[in-house]
Amino acid sequence: MNEPFRLEQATLTLDAIVSAMEGEVQLGYHGFQKAYNNDDYELFLVLDDGRTVTPEQANLDQLERAIHQWRDEHMQFFQKILGAMM
């Protein structure tokens, strides 16, 4: 899968999770503390070192792993999010 498509999928998935969690989700995986939307509904990530980055600035492999780990630990909630997106 090409990188722009992977980034788009990771961003859309994370945005859906953040929106379902009312604007902020604690990650704690693979270098990411949390993800949140600002007042303009733009998606940001807070790294373990405290820096705030956009998904485009994040390491894509780490971002995908963090999303997958969150999904695996919250499978029932994730399924509800997917159902709402359909």
Side-chain angles (χ1 to χ4, degrees):
M1 201 175 330
N2 66 31
E3 194 164 313
F5 180 74
R6 287 175 49 215
L7 177 61
E8 179 181 7
Q9 293 304 304
T11 301
L12 290 172
T13 302
L14 187 57
D15 194 43
I17 293 169
V18 169
S19 294
M21 299 293 288
E22 299 180 358
E24 181 175 306
V25 64
Q26 298 300 314
L27 294 172
Y29 315 115
H30 304 284
F32 300 101
Q33 287 181 15
K34 68 179 181 177
Y36 70 93
N37 285 332
N38 66 9
D39 292 338
D40 294 324
Y41 299 102
E42 297 169 312
L43 184 62
F44 292 95
L45 297 146
V46 178
L47 305 179
D48 282 344
D49 65 9
R51 289 183 300 136
T52 300
V53 298
T54 64
E56 295 80 16
Q57 296 168 314
N59 178 295
L60 181 56
D61 291 329
Q62 288 177 309
L63 180 58
E64 289 173 326
R65 285 194 300 269
I67 292 167
H68 292 157
Q69 188 165 349
W70 188 94
R71 176 202 64 198
D72 292 347
E73 292 182 11
H74 303 89
M75 184 54 77
Q76 289 182 332
F77 189 70
F78 187 77
Q79 299 248 343
K80 289 180 182 179
I81 294 169
L82 288 179
M85 291 173 61
M86 299 287 175

